[in-house]
């Protein structure tokens, strides 16, 4: 059976008919809960489980792991032409993700069992992606398999009982996410922009993939790799800053200013711009830590590039795959504004001095409004079958 015929033949709950449905919904809800729980614990004290390490882990490997899984379990069948992971197999993957979140909350009581339970999801997910890409002989996407595997290994490293393992694991995971954002973002941002412009006979269209794109991706891989291996070296800072500048050059070639009339398109350009800004700030933090706080660069990549790009992809994929018009209404536009505000506040917080606690709180609340708003506005689309008229 083909990918399309397998989906048409599926008769189970709509929630498990596409990978994006459960992972986008549960990932958004979890993201909206983790941040305020962490902030409350940080400022007022709380459950022993809600540590800084728990917050970092759950935002990277919990929330972001779910979004990556939702995107790739939906996209890979289209890339390979193979049968999609739906129904019971998809439900099993979701169950592994849920068990991982529970295990991380009860980590102190469960001990090593918590680490094994948490790691099971990403290891199983990586195995699924490898199987589909290799069986479909889809060699072009082997780099995606490698990146997903490194992401899973970073989660394993996070649990190792060594003092420096946690920080290394976080750098490795963020390095993977940075490269993945440049790779996948470099496909979807110009492609969706081109489609929108073609429908309106606008020209010139975004530039095609070429030497500039190859150079920027190469610089990103080098900069991210150096940051993982030697995070304080001057050459690392220079490579990161150069890669960040390169992403802005790349972004300018996609002519996003022509698409300002459609939030569903310009949000993709905003997310990619955060990627360039994050690398520039991270490079600046390495070269001059007294001027640029490291956390500003980290959160430009996480709250900015990750937060904005994930919501951009989640809203567009949900609308497209459930038969809704590819146009943003007031609720979607409000979500986009909220996530960018959250990112700006979080990046600016280290520069705010005595006002930092207020900015952290405001950023966390707006972040939760963005992802909670997605769950509310898109929940019915994700839970219910595609309309018969769509």
């Amino acid at each position: 059976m083909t990918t399309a015929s397998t989906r048409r033949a599926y008769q189970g709950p709509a929630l498990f008919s596409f990978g994006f449905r459960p992972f986008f919904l549960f990932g958004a809800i979890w993201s909206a809960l983790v941040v305020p729980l962490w902030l409350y614990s940080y400022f007022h004290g709380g459950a022993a489980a809600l540590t800084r390490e728990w917050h970092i882990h759950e935002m990277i490997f919990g929330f972001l792991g779910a979004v990556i899984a939702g995107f790739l379990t939906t996209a890979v069948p289209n890339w390979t032409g193979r049968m999609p992971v739906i129904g019971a197999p998809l439900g099993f993957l979701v169950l592994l993700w849920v068990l991982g979140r529970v295990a991380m909350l009860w980590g102190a009581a469960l001990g090593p069992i918590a680490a094994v339970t948490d790691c099971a999801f990403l290891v199983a997910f990586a195995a699924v992606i490898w199987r589909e890409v290799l069986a479909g002989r889809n060699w072009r996407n082997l780099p995606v398999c490698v990146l997903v595997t490194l992401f899973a290994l970073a989660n394993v490293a996070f649990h190792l009982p060594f003092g420096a393992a946690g920080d290394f694991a976080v750098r490795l995971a963020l390095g993977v996410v940075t490269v993945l954002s440049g790779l996948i973002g470099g496909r979807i941002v110009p492609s969706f922009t081109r489609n929108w412009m073609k429908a309106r006979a606008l020209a010139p269209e975004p530039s095609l993939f070429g030497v500039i794109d190859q150079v920027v991706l190469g610089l990103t891989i080098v900069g991210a790799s150096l940051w993982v291996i030697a995070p304080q070296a001057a050459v690392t800072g220079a490579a990161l800053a150069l890669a960040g500048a390169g992403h802005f050059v790349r972004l300018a070639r996609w002519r996003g200013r022509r698409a300002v009339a459609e939030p569903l398109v310009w949000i993709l350009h905003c997310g990619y711009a955060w990627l360039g800004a994050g690398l520039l700030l991270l490079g600046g933090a390495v070269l001059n830590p007294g001027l640029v706080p490291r956390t500003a660069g980290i959160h430009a990549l996480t709250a900015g590039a990750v937060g904005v790009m994930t919501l951009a992809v989640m809203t567009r994929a949900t609308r497209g795959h459930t038969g809704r018009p590819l146009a943003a209404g007031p609720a979607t536009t409000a979500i986009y504004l909220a996530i960018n505000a959250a990112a700006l506040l979080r990046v600016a917080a280290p520069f705010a001095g005595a006002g930092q606690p207020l900015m952290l709180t405001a950023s966390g609340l707006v972040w939760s409004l963005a992802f909670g708003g997605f769950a509310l506005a898109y929940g019915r689309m994700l839970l219910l079958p595609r309309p018969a008229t769509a």
Side-chain angles (χ1 to χ4, degrees):
M1 297 177 71
T2 65
T3 299
S5 61
T6 302
R7 295 197 193 281
R8 285 195 296 268
Y10 175 74
Q11 297 295 320
L15 183 64
F16 298 108
S17 62
F18 274 91
F20 75 88
R21 287 178 178 268
F23 282 119
F24 285 2
L25 180 59
F26 297 153
I29 293 171
W30 188 234
S31 175
L33 292 173
V34 166
V35 173
L37 284 173
W38 154 242
L39 285 173
Y40 181 82
S41 178
Y42 179 72
F43 288 120
H44 305 289
L50 305 180
T51 63
R52 174 178 176 272
E53 288 71 26
W54 173 82
H55 162 70
I56 292 171
H57 180 275
E58 288 307 290
M59 292 307 293
I60 296 175
F61 300 109
F63 153 65
L64 183 55
V67 175
I68 292 173
F71 175 79
L72 289 181
T73 52
T74 303
V76 167
N78 295 328
W79 298 345
T80 63
R82 284 178 50 79
M83 292 185 292
V85 178
I86 57 177
L90 176 59
F92 179 69
L93 273 181
V94 174
L95 177 61
L96 287 179
W97 180 83
V98 172
L99 290 175
R101 311 292 57 79
V102 174
M104 290 303 296
L105 280 172
W106 293 89
L110 295 173
I113 296 175
V116 173
T117 303
D118 173 61
C119 291
F121 164 66
L122 286 176
V123 171
F125 169 61
V128 168
I129 299 303
W130 272 105
R131 184 196 70 183
E132 296 306 305
V133 170
L134 290 177
R137 298 180 178 274
N138 186 241
W139 313 127
R140 179 192 180 207
N141 286 300
L142 281 178
V144 175
C145 296
V146 173
L147 290 170
V148 169
T149 303
L150 289 174
F151 191 72
L153 291 175
N155 190 32
V156 173
F158 190 95
H159 292 284
L160 294 177
F162 307 116
D167 192 53
F168 172 82
V170 170
R171 293 200 310 276
L172 177 57
L174 292 183
V176 167
V177 170
T178 297
V179 175
L180 196 60
S181 298
L183 183 66
I184 301 298
R187 296 180 188 177
I188 65 175
V189 178
S191 174
F192 292 158
T193 305
R194 185 176 295 109
N195 292 343
W196 187 85
M197 292 177 67
K198 274 186 176 180
R200 289 153 184 80
L202 298 176
E205 295 177 1
S207 301
L208 297 174
F209 186 91
V211 175
I212 292 177
D213 302 274
Q214 293 174 340
V215 170
V216 175
L217 286 176
L219 287 171
T220 304
I221 293 170
V222 170
S225 300
L226 287 172
W227 187 58
V228 173
I229 299 167
Q232 298 179 347
V235 65
T236 299
L240 290 170
L242 192 58
H247 282 292
F248 279 107
V249 172
R250 199 181 187 200
L251 187 62
R253 300 175 70 244
W254 297 336
R255 299 179 172 87
R257 63 186 182 279
R258 305 297 301 277
V260 293
E262 177 48 62
L264 214 62
V265 178
W266 63 247
I267 192 63
L268 292 165
H269 293 260
C270 283
Y272 203 87
W274 274 112
L275 174 63
L279 289 170
L280 281 172
L281 286 170
L282 200 56
V286 174
L287 295 172
N288 193 340
L291 180 64
V292 182
R294 179 174 179 265
T295 185
I298 294 290
H299 286 97
L301 287 175
T302 52
V306 169
V308 176
M309 190 62 80
T310 53
L311 270 181
V313 170
M314 289 161 67
T315 49
R316 185 182 184 93
T318 300
R319 299 192 71 85
H321 285 293
T322 62
R324 269 71 178 187
L326 289 178
T332 302
T333 303
I335 290 169
Y336 293 162
L337 295 175
I339 192 60
N340 277 284
L344 284 169
L345 287 166
R346 188 60 187 88
V347 172
F351 301 95
Q356 181 170 337
L358 179 61
M359 295 188 74
L360 287 175
T361 302
S363 173
L365 291 176
V366 181
W367 173 281
S368 292
L369 282 174
F371 282 95
F374 170 84
L376 289 173
Y378 284 78
R380 285 179 57 83
M381 300 182 202
L382 295 168
L383 288 168
L384 300 179
R386 180 187 177 107
T389 56

